[in-house]
């Protein structure tokens, strides 16, 4: 199908996706068994360009590429609310080593947090100018709309970034994201049914809005006095995302014939998403199929 993102980052699918190669001169794709190396061609090209640029200009030897999307996008069994339309890519905040990882290493090796252990601040023994260069290089691309990082990383950039400060607006603080950054592209041209996210606020986001994360959101909760025991309530079943929650075009995306490469990149027993997708695609009434992921409880918009 022609390459198009359908719907929103957290509720949509991807037609005409492209898989990033497992290896490039300046990147290695990780967790190959997940088969989440697929994205809109514009995103794949952006990741490839980022890998070259950071190696050339920022002292970052190469990218370890984490999850992008499933071959046809859509909700996943594990891990992400977004990453559904092929416009989100996770890039590890761990530099690529000077050798090729084996397939099994790519399953087992973990990214390294850049935070000081048990804290919300960046560890100066881990953080380097190249980390900052990597994030801000991605922010410099016009097609990149926002980058999600841990508030501690945003703070570090606010305090130290000497380049174009206006780009800090694109770097958005969010929970997690101290092992990897999450790069999100705008809806590409030719994706008329891609639902755009709000623009990022124009200011750098370094003042009070950032303080909120440290003063409120990430503050350890004070233990509360034990209250009267509550009547036991029936646990609510999380609502499951159904195919008919997605844009209607996604039914066509699921049912379309795919290239053989779509399945051949699934390695080992862990190609679960692919299997589920195939099952849905083969089901007579796909809209009645249960979902792949519970709809997450709302959190502040990153
Ligand atoms: Zn992500």
């Amino acid at each position: 199908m022609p390459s198009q993102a359908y719907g929103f980052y957290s509720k949509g699918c991807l037609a005409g996706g492209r898989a990033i190669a497992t290896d490039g001169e300046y990147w290695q794709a990780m967790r190959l068994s997940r088969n989440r190396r697929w994205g809109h061609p514009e995103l794949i090209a952006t990741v490839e360009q980022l890998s070259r640029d950071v190696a050339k200009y920022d002292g970052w030897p190469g990218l370890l590429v984490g999850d992008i999307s499933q071959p046809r996008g859509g909700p996943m069994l594990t891990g992400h609310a977004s990453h559904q339309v092929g416009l989100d890519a996770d890039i590890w905040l761990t530099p690529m080593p000077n050798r090729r990882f084996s397939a099994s290493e790519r399953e087992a090796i973990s990214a390294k947090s850049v935070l000081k252990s048990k804290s919300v601040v960046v560890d100066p023994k881990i953080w380097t100018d190249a980390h900052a260069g990597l994030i801000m290089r991605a922010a410099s691309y016009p097609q990149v709309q926002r980058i999600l990082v841990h508030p501690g990383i945003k703070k570090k950039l606010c305090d130290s970034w000497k380049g174009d400060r206006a780009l800090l607006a694109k770097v958005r603080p969010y929970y997690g994201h101290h092992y990897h950054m999450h790069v999100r592209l705008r809806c590409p041209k030719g994706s008329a049914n891609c639902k755009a996210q709000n623009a990022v606020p124009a200011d750098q986001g370094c003042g009070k809005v950032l303080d909120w994360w440290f003063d409120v959101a990430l503050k350890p909760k004070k233990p509360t006095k034990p209250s009267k025991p509550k009547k036991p309530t029936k646990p609510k079943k999380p609502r499951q995302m159904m195919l008919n929650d997605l844009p209607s075009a996604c039914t066509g995306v699921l049912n379309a014939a795919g290239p053989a490469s779509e399945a051949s990149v699934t390695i080992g027993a862990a190609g679960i998403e692919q299997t589920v997708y195939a099952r849905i695609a083969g089901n007579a009434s796909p809209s009645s199929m249960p979902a792949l992921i519970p709809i997450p409880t709302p959190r502040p918009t990153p």
Side-chain angles (χ1 to χ4, degrees):
M1 299 176 87
S3 299
Q4 271 200 65
Y6 287 101
F8 195 60
Y9 301 89
S10 53
K11 199 183 269 191
C13 61
L14 168 69
R18 205 191 122 199
I20 194 167
T22 57
D23 292 89
E25 192 174 1
Y26 298 113
W27 80 80
Q28 300 186 42
M30 304 299 284
R31 305 285 189 270
L32 301 177
S33 69
R34 291 181 181 173
N35 200 17
R36 293 177 183 169
R37 288 187 291 128
W38 298 74
H40 189 283
E42 194 176 313
L43 175 65
I44 302 302
T46 301
V47 174
E48 292 174 355
Q49 187 192 345
L50 179 65
S51 79
R52 291 188 294 270
D53 286 351
V54 293
K56 197 167 170 191
Y57 303 115
D58 302 306
W60 190 264
L63 306 180
L64 297 177
V65 179
D67 283 0
I68 305 177
S69 290
Q70 300 173 119
R72 302 177 193 210
M76 280 155 275
L77 287 169
T78 55
H80 309 275
S82 64
H83 288 255
Q84 294 196 23
V85 291
L87 298 175
D88 296 289
D90 288 345
I91 307 292
W92 288 19
L93 294 173
T94 305
M96 188 177 94
N98 191 16
R99 67 183 183 91
R100 293 287 144 181
F101 285 134
S102 68
S104 56
E105 282 175 318
R106 293 180 200 214
E107 301 300 318
I109 286 168
S110 292
K112 194 173 178 187
S113 172
V114 296
L115 298 185
K116 236 187 234 170
S117 136
K118 292 181 192 136
S119 86
V120 292
V121 296
V122 159
D123 187 338
K125 291 199 205 87
I126 298 169
W127 183 262
T128 63
D129 287 349
H131 286 82
L134 167 71
I135 296 166
M136 299 310 289
R137 177 70 52 191
S140 75
Y141 299 147
Q143 69 271 31
V144 170
Q145 188 188 32
R146 53 184 18 91
I147 296 170
L148 310 185
V149 297
H150 187 275
I153 296 175
K154 169 85 186 194
K155 176 89 173 100
K156 180 72 189 174
L157 291 169
C158 283
D159 293 347
S160 63
W161 181 243
K162 299 269 186 330
D164 183 354
R165 302 274 306 175
L167 294 175
L168 287 169
K170 288 191 189 181
V171 182
R172 310 285 298 155
Y174 205 56
Y175 299 98
H177 295 92
H178 47 97
Y179 297 85
H180 71 262
M181 66 168 172
H182 175 131
V183 178
R184 175 168 293 172
L185 259 55
R186 302 171 200 283
C187 286
K189 280 203 186 83
S191 287
N193 297 301
C194 173
K195 196 171 168 241
Q197 186 173 0
N198 293 345
V200 296
D203 76 281
Q204 294 172 16
C206 290
K208 274 210 178 108
V209 270
L210 185 56
D211 291 343
W212 175 84
W213 282 93
F214 301 101
D215 298 344
V216 182
L218 298 176
K219 263 254 162 87
K221 303 253 182 315
K222 272 191 204 133
T224 46
K225 263 194 247 159
S227 53
K228 266 190 255 163
K230 279 187 201 131
K231 257 197 229 153
T233 48
K234 230 174 144 192
K236 252 198 207 156
K237 254 198 181 167
R239 178 161 132 52
Q240 303 282 299
M241 194 178 284
M242 314 289 282
L243 183 55
N244 60 11
D245 288 316
L246 306 181
S248 55
C250 291
T251 306
V253 171
L254 274 180
N255 289 326
S261 60
E262 189 179 39
S264 67
V265 292
T266 305
I267 293 173
I272 303 164
E273 288 83 5
Q274 183 59 31
T275 316
V276 172
Y277 243 60
R279 211 184 298 143
I280 290 177
N283 191 284
S285 61
S287 56
S288 66
M289 280 297 285
L292 310 181
I293 192 170
I295 290 176
T297 40
R299 283 175 151 190
T301 314

